[in-house]
Amino acid sequence: AKSKYNKLHLHLCDHQGFSYFSDVYPDLPLSPGTTYTKDDLREIVSYAGMFGIDVIPEIDLPGHSTAIISSYPELSCRKLQIPVETKQGIFDDVLCIGDENTLQFVYELLDEIIPLFPYENFHIGGDEVKYRRWENCPKCTAKKQELGFDNFSQLQWHFTKQVIDHLNKHGKKAIVWNESLAGGKLTDEATVQMWLDPKKHSVRHANRGGKVITSDFYHYYCDYPYHMTPLRKTYNFNPLLKGVAPVMQKNVLGVEAPLWTEYVCDFDKLCYMFFPRIAAVAEVGWSKKENLDCAEFEKRFRKITPILENIGIHPAKPEEWNPTPLQRLSGTVKFFSDKISVDLLKSSLSNSKK
Ligand code: ACM
Ligand code: ZN
């Protein structure tokens, strides 16, 4: 609220756990971090509401679902029981979307969660879905053939569209990650959240009249170190997205700076990663381009730091905000070398030059 945000996006399910106690699916494995009861979520919604902040839940479908499958293996293509993941990554086992029981599960779960959030938006994920299991699944391949699709992106889109329609029937508007658009077009039924979109689906969506939220991975992801994403790089990124026609720029609804918590385990680390970058993203979101000036922002942020410190938020120190090119290289390598795959490291280094 102090940074003038008006939405809080809560990502409630993933490969590593499920952060919500479900009555209809009580075996969903609880996340090792925070797990919310219905009352917890109501309390968050009510507290955030006092500061003018809407809470948007996300149930990520049909990928990022190892946790669901570990308890309900019948919802996967192989029907095999697998353990909940404990590392960050993109994993092969996803929900079987050739099986009608999967949609039944999704509808029941969403119907339980929808009444907890009084706002219009509901996020249904759609990112980083691997097709390997679908390619080898009799039900998924038969469904693809029956529907006359050429590829599995179209089948993912078909599944997503049904979930979007279900939400629309409940008076909700879906938000999906940009990969959902690889197999089909949407316009007004859903908002697209752009994060990593080399094929520019989000730009085409905005140019068709659809709504977009900008969360560019290389500029706005606050779970990555300042070495990879310096403050100045974040501040100077134009969220209106290259390629969106001037008359369609109104379709870029706003900005979001995500922070995933696989490697952020406490509040102090969260604040360090977020501040000042999250304040920079908000300033860009609320300002006209001609009024933006990163050096000015840095000066003002130093002045307000004591206010944040007073409420227990300890931002990164000014000398950490904009590392030199050499510091950036060594810090990025160090971060990835203990954590993530070589492929992602290569792609990050090539993009950190931009
Ligand atoms: C994402 O960060 N996988 C949306
Ligand atoms: Zn399947």
Side-chain angles (χ1 to χ4, degrees), residues 172-345:
K172 298 284 169 184
K173 182 152 185 183
I175 303 176
V176 295
W177 295 109
N178 57 246
E179 290 98 316
S180 305
L181 290 183
K185 284 186 201 151
L186 296 166
T187 47
D188 226 20
E189 322 89 292
T191 297
V192 172
Q193 186 165 9
M194 179 272 174
W195 75 286
L196 197 56
D197 189 8
K199 298 208 171 138
K200 308 230 173 277
H201 295 298
S202 324
V203 169
R204 282 196 294 281
H205 182 69
N207 283 335
R208 278 198 298 273
K211 301 288 186 274
V212 170
I213 298 160
T214 300
S215 298
D216 186 78
F217 174 81
Y218 296 108
H219 297 85
Y220 285 0
Y221 267 47
C222 289
D223 43 333
Y224 288 85
Y226 288 82
H227 301 99
M228 185 176 137
T229 315
L231 173 62
R232 213 173 283 145
K233 184 174 168 180
T234 298
Y235 191 94
N236 289 329
F237 178 70
N238 182 358
L240 292 176
L241 300 177
K242 224 186 259 165
V244 175
V247 290
M248 292 297 181
Q249 287 179 350
K250 63 180 187 299
N251 293 326
V252 179
L253 287 184
V255 290
E256 177 180 324
L259 190 148
W260 306 85
T261 50
E262 285 97 331
Y263 299 108
V264 175
C265 296
D266 60 53
F267 185 69
D268 280 348
K269 179 77 190 283
L270 182 134
C271 292
Y272 166 86
M273 299 302 276
F274 259 152
F275 291 91
R277 290 184 293 196
I278 195 171
V281 174
E283 176 155 312
V284 173
W286 287 117
S287 306
K288 288 190 175 151
K289 198 167 187 301
E290 57 271 27
N291 294 336
L292 291 172
D293 179 333
C294 189
E296 268 297 311
F297 167 81
E298 290 184 13
K299 266 195 233 157
R300 282 182 279 113
F301 192 82
R302 282 174 203 241
K303 284 203 178 139
I304 62 144
T305 296
I307 299 173
L308 295 173
E309 298 271 3
N310 250 339
I311 54 169
I313 291 175
H314 306 293
K317 300 273 176 281
E319 58 274 22
E320 296 173 285
W321 297 348
N322 295 300
T324 64
L326 198 61
Q327 286 168 333
R328 286 187 62 187
L329 186 66
S330 66
T332 303
V333 170
K334 185 171 174 321
F335 174 78
F336 280 104
S337 59
D338 357 316
K339 294 189 169 85
I340 306 177
S341 72
V342 172
D343 284 352
L344 192 50
L345 171 63

